Amino acid sequence: MDLEYAGYAEELEEGAQQLGVVLSDNQRDQLLAYLALLSKWNKAYNLTAVRDTAEMVSRHLLDSLSVVPHVQPGGSRWLDVGSGGGMPGIPLAILFPERHFTLLDSNGKKTRFLTQVKLELKLANLEVVHSRVEQFKLAQPFNGITSRAFSSLEDFTSWTRHLGDLDSCWLAMKGIQPDDELQALPVDFQLERCVVLKVPGCQGQRHLLILRRTS
């Protein structure tokens, strides 16, 4: 573990406990190593508007971990769309080493960063794809598809419809509950549940929208 970032271990562990997430020592160290890479690469690659490393613990790491209970019952193959700096895909890949996570982004700088994280953290269950989501094709549907501040719900579901099926779940991480966006959902999607996420250290509202295809 990078000693410069070891000081954030307690905040990370306490926050995870509040979310009901148990971290092994190795998972904690991997998350802190990811934090170190995100903080350092952000200076040149502009991966996130959050510049303060301490703020990244709550705004990025704990925010990503807040959806763990809703990934828990899911299948083995997950897609993180518009992954950007790797949230929530990388923390989820660290938490679920037995599952496979594909991180997709159309920005080459961001996918180079994600590839570096995969190599340095030795995340064998992680695949990085540089592509627009509409052009990404796969023979087998994903069990789950996540997004965090990626686009409107209408675009998120429309652009990824071909990557899931009736058994897949779509997890959209949002700030305030997007009632207008829900009204614009495509007719073949429905809201299964809206979950209020209480992220330690985050002041603003956080919601997780769990969506399913109906046809």
Side-chain angles (χ1 to χ4, degrees):
M1 187 199 309
D2 190 322
L3 292 178
E4 183 183 345
Y5 295 87
Y8 299 110
E10 185 176 349
E11 180 186 353
L12 175 59
E13 289 182 319
E14 287 181 357
Q17 282 182 351
Q18 290 178 45
L19 292 168
V21 176
V22 178
L23 298 177
S24 68
D25 289 347
N26 184 58
Q27 288 170 333
R28 177 203 62 206
D29 292 349
Q30 281 190 307
L31 287 167
L32 291 173
Y34 167 52
L35 176 69
L37 288 168
L38 182 64
S39 182
K40 289 174 180 176
W41 279 60
N42 195 43
K43 295 179 178 70
Y45 274 53
N46 196 28
L47 300 166
T48 167
V50 179
R51 301 295 177 189
D52 180 65
T53 305
E55 196 178 345
M56 287 181 181
V57 175
S58 59
R59 292 275 297 276
H60 293 328
L61 297 187
L62 295 177
D63 189 54
S64 295
L65 295 182
S66 70
V67 303
V68 163
H70 308 285
V71 172
Q72 200 82 39
S76 61
R77 302 176 63 259
W78 285 78
L79 171 68
D80 186 26
V81 177
S83 193
M87 290 78 69
I90 287 174
L92 293 179
I94 290 170
L95 263 287
F96 297 100
E98 73 285 359
R99 302 188 190 184
H100 185 272
F101 290 84
T102 299
L103 275 54
L104 183 146
D105 204 281
S106 61
N107 184 305
K109 284 186 177 181
K110 291 177 179 177
T111 54
R112 281 195 290 277
F113 166 71
L114 297 174
T115 300
Q116 189 64 26
V117 173
K118 170 186 168 69
L119 293 172
E120 292 205 24
L121 271 57
K122 297 179 173 59
L123 296 175
N125 63 331
L126 194 69
E127 179 184 5
V128 178
V129 176
H130 177 209
S131 171
R132 294 185 62 83
V133 64
E134 311 96 299
Q135 298 165 350
F136 182 50
K137 299 289 191 291
L138 207 68
Q140 188 179 1
F142 287 99
N143 302 118
I145 300 173
T146 65
S147 77
R148 179 178 184 260
F150 166 59
S151 65
S152 70
L153 293 177
E154 181 181 14
D155 288 344
F156 171 47
T157 49
S158 296
W159 293 342
T160 60
R161 179 188 281 109
H162 65 292
L163 298 171
D165 60 17
L166 298 184
D167 294 323
S168 307
C169 67
W170 278 255
L171 304 182
M173 300 174 70
K174 293 283 185 177
I176 60 172
Q177 184 170 323
D179 293 325
D180 290 347
E181 292 184 28
L182 284 168
Q183 294 295 323
L185 264 185
V187 294
D188 58 335
F189 276 87
Q190 68 177 14
L191 176 67
E192 182 176 277
R193 197 150 48 106
C194 179
V195 181
V196 177
L197 300 174
K198 298 187 184 301
V199 181
C202 284
Q203 302 303 316
Q205 293 186 47
R206 302 293 294 143
H207 289 82
L208 177 68
L209 304 180
I210 302 173
L211 308 166
R212 296 270 184 183
R213 261 181 62 182
T214 58
S215 61

